[in-house]
Structures are given as structure tokens and as C-alpha cells.
Amino acid sequence: MAKKSKAKKSPTKNLWIKRLLVAAAAIIAGLLVYVVYYVFGPNTKAFGDSKFFYIRTGSTYGTVLEGLEEQGIIRSRLSFEVVATQLGYRDRVKAGKYKISRGMSNFEIVKLLRSGHQAPVNLTITKLRTKQDLVRKICANLEADSATFRALLSDQVYLRQFGLDTNTVMSAFLPNTYQFYWNTSAESAFKKIEKESDAFWNDTRKAAAQRLGLTPVQVIILASIVDEETNKNDEKPLISSVYLNRFRKGMRLQADPTVKFALQDFSIRRIREGHIAFESPYNTYQVTGLPPGPICTPSIKSIEAVLNTPETDYIYFCAKADFSGYHAFAASYAEHMKNAHAFHQALNARGI
């Protein structure tokens, strides 16, 4: 007997199976696209090309997450948390300054924060007159604690290892641009800057200082006075020669900028008898020799001007009556008095 043939599936049933398979494939593909976008798609809010995000030392994952939201960096907290958990970031928080670029994905953000790859901080030191100015400058740019940094500058025992004391410590901070990581500690920042100061004082500069009969610190102190006297680089060596001649003769420097520093009043435009009478080791009208420390962080130009001081017989100088910013130099007191009289008349005429 012939076998019965199997019943054929209906065309309608086959069509539905195909449709279900296509739909399932589409759903799976959609899920895959969603997952990929969830991980690798952008998760930043609308801001400029980039934004810096700071993580303080000791921060937890929770504080990082709050910061990312509060500072308008991430768009979706949930998607960030999923990726952060999968990449093990919750237990690998690292302090620092991070550059978040617009359009970064969760994966990119988490990978960056987890790696600890920070954006460097360029700290530029220009003219600073006081320790407080220095503390403000450094601690405004770094995480370093201001109280800790201030304590270092006042610790005689700590400073002694660098050949410094609480008066001369400012001589270690040469105007320059220093690169740090934002979470650099106060002590590490101090050591790095002091190390660069040591490097500045190479054999050539030390030899130049020795020829003048000065130590590197004394050069910085004299340069700080020169720097405060003028911003004319071409006459700085001459001003240095006046003070160096006075120093060698045992005369009082009688430098007006030291009076301003002693009084901690840098707005004074004209030094008068009452100012000169103020008692301070920094008032060179009252004490002989150099002040105990620099009165500012002098420019490299000013330091080089001192190191290259020419031989002159000048003992006096005063500002020129034309208010050009330049000075009139004199070898005799009589000549100086003529120059000074002309300048004082110009001051009186302007009501200064």
C-alpha cells in the first residue's frame, strides 16, 4: 500500500513565522543598538567645547556622581551608573582635574575618570609682594590647602633644609610658568618650585653673584628692590649699580620701595618723613645693608640686571621730572639735589 504524503504547511502559517523571525531579529538588533548607544553614545549636556571637572582628594563615588549632575556635565545619571558599575569605577575614584569634552560617552567619561589622566594646570607666577599674595595665587590654582601652605612658609625648621628662612623663602619663587596636577599637595608644590629655583642658579649665575660679592639670595633681594624701582629693563643695571655701590660703602640703601613694603602699603605715591620714620628691618632708611628678604618676586630680567651690574660711580638717583619712568643718576650729592629738586617741583605741580 502506498504511504500517505505529509501534509504541507499552509502559506499563511509560513508567512507569519517569517514575520515573527524578522520582528524578533529587529527587536534584538534594536536592543543591541540601544545598548551600544547607552554605553558609547554621547551623555553630556549642552555646554562649550569642553568643561573641567574637579574631584577633591578623599571624594567618594557618590560625591563624584552628584558633582557631574550639579555641574551640568552628564545628561543621564542612570546610564552613567550602569557603565560606571560595569567598569568598576565605584571603588576607583581618583582626585584631579579632568577635561570633559562635549559629546563624550559614558564609556569615555568613566574611562577617563578611572584612569586618573588629568588635565595639567599651568601656574604662572609673576610679581608677588607678600606671602599672602603667594598663598592666594597657588591655592587658587591648586587643591593645596592654604593653611598648610602658609604654615610651610612660616616653618623655620622645615625651610632650613633648603637653606631658607621665613624672610628669604620668597626668593625661591621665581616668576615662571610651572606645570602641576591640580591635586598636588602644598609641600609637593613648594618642593617642585624650590627645585626649579635651584636649577636656575647654575654655575654661571653663581659665579656672577660671587664676583659681585653676593649670595644668590642677596641677588634676589637686590633684584626685588630694582624691580620695584622701575619697569625699564634698559636702566635696571644702572639702578643696581647705585644700590650695590651704597651696599659696598656701608651706606644705607634708602630705597623707597622698602618703606612701602615695611608699611605694607603699596599705594603710596610719595615717600614722606612720617613713612621714613617707621621702624622695620625692611625700612632701608632705618637700617644699613639689604633687607632680610625680598620685597617682591623679581622678574628674571631684574635678576639678570643685578648679575650684570656695570661698574659706575653713581651713588644717587631719582625719577626724572618728565615722568617718563626713567631716572637721573648722580655721583655727587650736589648733583643729586639738583635732580631731586626738579622732580619735587614736578610732583608739587601735579598735586602729588
Side-chain angles (χ1 to χ4, degrees):
M1 178 184 286
K3 293 182 179 179
K4 293 181 179 179
S5 60
K6 293 182 178 180
K8 292 182 179 180
K9 294 181 180 179
S10 68
T12 302
K13 189 174 183 180
N14 287 337
L15 181 60
W16 275 106
I17 291 174
K18 288 179 181 180
R19 286 178 176 176
L20 287 172
L21 290 174
V22 170
I27 291 171
I28 293 171
L31 287 172
L32 288 173
V33 169
Y34 179 74
V35 170
V36 170
Y37 185 82
Y38 206 64
V39 176
F40 297 103
N43 189 34
T44 57
K45 287 190 175 181
F47 49 77
D49 291 338
S50 62
K51 199 169 188 177
F52 289 111
F53 180 60
Y54 298 85
I55 300 177
R56 300 193 68 84
T57 299
S59 293
T60 64
Y61 171 72
T63 57
V64 170
L65 195 58
E66 289 174 7
L68 289 170
E69 280 194 305
E70 290 173 0
Q71 295 175 39
I73 293 176
I74 59 172
R75 188 173 63 247
S76 168
R77 173 174 177 146
L78 178 60
S79 64
F80 180 87
E81 288 205 75
V82 170
V83 176
T85 301
Q86 292 301 311
L87 294 182
Y89 175 62
R90 288 174 174 270
D91 301 318
R92 297 172 66 178
V93 173
K94 295 178 182 178
K97 173 186 177 182
Y98 298 94
K99 183 178 181 181
I100 309 296
S101 299
R102 185 177 59 188
M104 287 180 72
S105 66
N106 286 316
F107 179 80
E108 291 171 321
I109 297 172
V110 173
K111 186 180 178 182
L112 173 66
L113 300 182
R114 191 185 65 174
S115 71
H117 184 66
Q118 299 184 46
V121 174
N122 290 321
L123 173 65
T124 300
I125 293 179
T126 52
K127 178 186 284 189
L128 301 170
R129 292 189 173 101
T130 67
K131 291 180 185 177
Q132 188 56 38
D133 291 338
L134 177 65
V135 170
R136 277 196 294 265
K137 179 72 174 180
I138 290 180
C139 296
N141 288 275
L142 303 178
E143 186 189 20
D145 177 65
S146 59
T148 302
F149 200 84
R150 195 178 300 111
L152 286 179
L153 301 180
S154 303
D155 190 335
Q156 292 278 31
V157 176
Y158 177 78
L159 295 175
R160 194 176 299 140
Q161 65 184 301
F162 305 104
L164 301 167
D165 59 37
T166 55
N167 286 308
T168 61
V169 63
M170 291 290 283
S171 66
F173 294 85
L174 300 179
N176 203 348
T177 297
Y178 303 87
Q179 193 170 86
F180 294 97
Y181 286 127
W182 177 75
N183 59 323
T184 300
S185 68
E187 186 172 3
S188 294
F190 177 83
K191 285 183 175 179
K192 179 171 182 176
I193 293 175
E194 196 279 332
K195 186 177 180 180
E196 293 201 26
S197 174
D198 281 347
F200 173 83
W201 285 104
N202 55 30
D203 291 342
T204 301
R205 290 193 174 101
K206 285 180 180 178
Q210 191 172 28
R211 284 194 297 271
L212 296 173
L214 302 174
T215 66
V217 170
Q218 287 177 318
V219 170
I220 296 290
I221 294 172
L222 181 52
S224 73
I225 297 174
V226 172
D227 200 272
E228 287 283 70
E229 287 284 12
T230 184
N231 58 9
K232 307 294 186 184
N233 288 325
D234 55 342
E235 77 166 5
K236 285 179 179 180
L238 289 179
I239 291 179
S240 178
S241 76
V242 171
Y243 286 128
L244 196 55
N245 287 339
R246 283 178 163 266
F247 179 71
R248 287 168 174 168
K249 290 176 181 291
M251 298 173 64
R252 290 181 179 175
L253 301 188
Q254 295 185 331
D256 289 358
T258 66
V259 178
K260 296 179 183 180
F261 184 86
L263 292 165
Q264 292 290 286
D265 185 351
F266 304 102
S267 65
I268 298 172
R269 298 183 65 188
R270 187 173 183 177
I271 300 298
R272 301 183 183 276
E273 291 297 324
H275 301 137
I276 292 172
F278 184 74
E279 292 187 9
S280 166
Y282 282 89
N283 182 354
T284 56
Y285 278 89
Q286 294 291 325
V287 298
T288 302
L290 295 169
I295 60 173
C296 72
T297 51
S299 69
I300 302 300
K301 289 283 188 182
S302 295
I303 297 171
E304 296 290 359
V306 172
L307 291 175
N308 292 282
T309 301
E311 290 292 334
T312 74
D313 57 357
Y314 295 139
I315 297 296
Y316 308 97
F317 73 92
C318 73
K320 286 187 173 182
D322 61 2
F323 292 94
S324 63
Y326 282 93
H327 295 80
F329 296 86
S332 69
Y333 184 69
E335 185 182 2
H336 171 62
M337 287 307 295
K338 288 181 181 178
N339 295 332
H341 180 68
F343 179 62
H344 288 152
Q345 282 189 319
L347 287 176
N348 291 334
R350 295 194 178 196
I352 299 175

